[in-house]
Amino acid sequence: QKRQESLSKEVIDIAWQAQLRLCRRYQRLMKRGKHYNLVVTAIAREMIAYIWAISREVVLSPVNPAKRLSRVPA
């Protein structure tokens, strides 16, 4: 809950929808006897779509390079 306090409602809704769908799909594929690696790969591919959807919702503010935690050049 602490991590979600600063997030928008849209992002939280997308994340919860992903959680429910991916858990349900994982269980369904495992019960059908699919190989573990195939199931994990299928879930990961679908998770990428949810990450993309969240990235479309979030508008990042410009970062001041002097105040970045990492000093690695971008």
Side-chain angles (χ1 to χ4, degrees):
Q1 280 182 326
K2 286 185 179 182
R3 284 183 283 174
Q4 290 184 351
E5 287 175 359
S6 63
L7 298 176
S8 68
K9 176 148 175 48
E10 293 84 15
V11 172
I12 293 171
D13 290 343
I14 292 170
W16 184 244
Q17 179 185 6
Q19 173 75 17
L20 294 176
R21 178 177 168 84
L22 295 177
C23 286
R24 189 172 53 243
R25 178 155 181 176
Y26 176 85
Q27 291 172 352
R28 195 174 336 133
L29 289 172
M30 290 299 286
K31 285 180 184 176
R32 287 174 58 189
K34 298 293 183 181
H35 190 272
Y36 175 78
N37 289 344
L38 186 133
V39 173
V40 170
T41 302
I43 299 301
R45 289 182 67 164
E46 197 163 336
M47 189 182 301
I48 293 295
Y50 281 106
I51 292 170
W52 179 82
I54 289 174
S55 72
R56 303 293 290 167
E57 286 290 327
V58 176
V59 177
L60 297 176
S61 59
V63 176
N64 182 355
K67 294 185 179 182
R68 281 194 316 202
L69 295 176
S70 172
R71 298 287 182 219
V72 178

